[in-house]
Amino acid sequence: MFCRLLAAVLLAFAGSASAANLDVSAAYKMRALSYKNLNFIDNAKFKNEHSFIGNDARLGLAVRKIALESRRGEEVSMDVGIGLHALGVAGSTTALQSPFDRAANAYPSANLTPFIENAYVKVHQLLGYPVEATFGRQTFKLASGLLLDDDGAGLTGINLRGKLPWWGMKLDAFVFQDRNPLYNAENTLGLFGFSLELPSEGNWQLSQLFERDRAIQPVYGCTFPGMTTDNCMISKANRSFSSLRYQLNYGPMVFDGEAAMQKGAATPTGINPAHNHITYNGNAQVIRAKWKQKLYKAGEGIARASIARGTGDKPDTQTTDEAFYPSHGHRFNGLERSGFGEFFAATPYDAFGGNYSSTTASGLAQGASGIMVVGAGYSPPAYHGFILDIDYYLYQAERVKSGPRTLGTEWDLRVRYAVLDQLTLALSSAFFTTGTASNPTKSHARKYALEVSGRF
């Protein structure tokens, strides 16, 4: 009923607006999933295994190119759009328990009840200047998503994008109000910053993000004399993230690299607060590259490599947190993690770490912090439209209090078949072997997935 009413309103609006267009988009993705031994242990009773069907549905309606006025010789126009997003599972009553609860907490709803992902007004040529302004709830990703990505939940605020009169540069400025998904405190996280693009032989992108976090939360690894708890509690935190990204698409080679720094300070709270403040001092780097090569009479094969690193916390610095950890960096795709590897799905700052009973932000075992990833993969030429992807990943902790650093290794296999850009069928499996930093006995974990997705 709601969707029919919404469509009727937008159709009426489109009919009354000169030269306006109505765009309707829809997408649905179903994934039949099976996770084995999420706890990385040998005891069959406590392996934490789940099998379920994940649903991911979207419906978008937008009226575009609504003519407003003429300013400075430019035609000012407007778009009005609304997008609904629904996530949920079927076939299991425990699918959103640990560790899937972390993904569910990143979204307004995870029981297949639609939530508003987009509700915006977008103005083109604002006041006659080459500026595009978006007001309201919108999809947003900063650079590669290392620092900020809404992950399909949407962010509410203002985004301004415009061209500068020098060297083809583009400037993007934004202000959003959201929440820290780890602590479920509504409207406690302010996000603002900018991104500057400079095209050259490749494309350079300088990004700056500021976080104003007002959620009461722990700082993991923080200690000081006289503490009565394991971690320092803070009432507010001001974090800043600066990154430089370079992209190059040159013939058969594609390169994408981003390096970032984290700074900031937090205000302690509690019965025995730490000293005047707690400081942040971390950094991260992500590099992805692939090479397309035509093979004689076989078609085109693709080789790829990836390297990622995020600093972990130093055990000997009492009130300085060196762990790189943006509040809204890219880490989820619906109710599944998205990162390096189908199962471990690591980012430079967190992963499916097998230690979900702990309170570590990264998900890793106590004493391990920061993640380093090295990956390599190959996709041979398609065979009758079927494409095989083979990938291997090695994971290590960037810092540990003592002992080994290897978190595990993973092999991923995927067969996919696409019909144009509308229908995709895929079957994948991931085989994860724990390292001694995750489990000294080197247990095994697996993930199997069948995916069917369509869109128009």
Side-chain angles (χ1 to χ4, degrees), residues 309-347:
R309 171 188 171 272
T311 53
D313 185 43
K314 293 181 180 179
D316 56 346
T317 55
Q318 295 181 334
T319 57
T320 298
D321 185 2
E322 291 86 2
F324 182 87
Y325 203 97
S327 299
H328 260 290
H330 174 62
R331 55 172 64 87
F332 300 117
N333 182 7
L335 297 179
E336 297 179 73
R337 282 194 55 86
S338 177
F340 295 94
E342 282 291 316
F343 180 90
F344 203 56
T347 67

Side-chain angles (χ1 to χ4, degrees), residues 55-381:
N55 296 283
D56 189 334
R58 280 184 167 96
L59 175 63
L61 300 169
V63 181
R64 305 190 187 279
K65 297 182 180 180
I66 303 170
L68 297 179
E69 60 179 350
S70 179
R71 282 286 187 95
R72 302 172 61 89
E74 299 289 344
E75 292 296 329
V76 182
S77 63
M78 177 180 69
D79 302 342
V80 178
I82 295 181
L84 303 180
H85 193 182
L87 298 168
V89 300
S92 174
T93 59
T94 61
L96 296 182
Q97 291 185 359
S98 178
F100 303 100
D101 56 341
R102 288 199 175 186
N105 289 339
Y107 299 93
S109 172
N111 60 359
L112 209 56
T113 300
F115 60 86
I116 296 178
E117 179 182 358
N118 298 143
Y120 62 86
V121 171
K122 180 182 294 186
V123 181
H124 304 275
Q125 301 296 129
L126 181 66
L127 301 178
Y129 293 97
V131 176
E132 179 183 277
T134 306
F135 306 91
R137 194 159 184 86
Q138 55 197 277
T139 298
F140 185 84
K141 180 168 72 171
L142 181 62
S144 69
L146 176 65
L147 305 183
L148 177 61
D149 194 332
D150 75 293
D151 281 340
L155 293 170
T156 301
I158 302 173
N159 181 26
L160 301 176
R161 297 181 179 180
K163 296 180 180 179
L164 299 179
W166 311 285
W167 308 301
M169 292 191 297
K170 298 179 181 178
L171 181 64
D172 189 335
F174 58 89
V175 178
F176 297 114
Q177 188 68 38
D178 205 76
R179 63 186 176 90
N180 191 319
L182 279 178
Y183 307 107
N184 290 321
E186 295 292 337
N187 299 318
T188 57
L189 182 64
L191 304 164
F192 61 95
F194 66 89
S195 178
L196 179 65
E197 291 187 38
L198 174 62
S200 59
E201 186 175 354
N203 189 68
W204 292 94
Q205 188 172 12
L206 174 65
S207 301
Q208 180 66 50
L209 168 67
F210 297 97
E211 294 186 358
R212 298 292 180 262
D213 195 345
R214 298 298 181 265
I216 296 177
Q217 58 193 269
V219 177
Y220 300 101
C222 172
T223 60
F224 64 95
M227 277 189 62
T228 58
T229 59
D230 293 335
N231 304 294
C232 300
M233 297 298 297
I234 60 172
S235 59
K236 61 181 179 180
N238 295 324
R239 310 181 189 96
S240 69
F241 299 85
S242 306
S243 80
L244 182 63
R245 183 188 187 191
Y246 179 69
Q247 296 172 281
L248 176 65
N249 195 330
Y250 184 76
M253 183 183 71
V254 178
F255 175 87
D256 188 350
E258 184 172 7
M261 295 188 304
Q262 175 184 358
K263 300 290 184 179
T267 301
T269 186
I271 299 175
N272 294 314
H275 305 289
N276 293 331
H277 61 273
I278 297 166
T279 58
Y280 297 96
N281 184 21
N283 60 80
Q285 303 82 33
V286 176
I287 295 175
R288 295 181 177 92
K290 65 181 179 181
W291 181 276
K292 302 177 182 179
Q293 182 64 54
K294 290 186 178 181
L295 303 178
Y296 179 67
K297 292 185 178 181
E300 185 178 72
I302 301 176
R304 53 190 166 271
S306 56
I307 300 174
R309 171 188 171 272
T311 53
D313 185 43
K314 293 181 180 179
D316 56 346
T317 55
Q318 295 181 334
T319 57
T320 298
D321 185 2
E322 291 86 2
F324 182 87
Y325 203 97
S327 299
H328 260 290
H330 174 62
R331 55 172 64 87
F332 300 117
N333 182 7
L335 297 179
E336 297 179 73
R337 282 194 55 86
S338 177
F340 295 94
E342 282 291 316
F343 180 90
F344 203 56
T347 67
Y349 32 86
D350 62 0
F352 268 178
N355 196 43
Y356 309 115
S357 60
S358 76
T359 56
T360 59
S362 65
L364 305 183
Q366 293 283 358
S369 182
I371 297 176
M372 296 185 293
V373 182
V374 177
Y378 182 68
S379 298

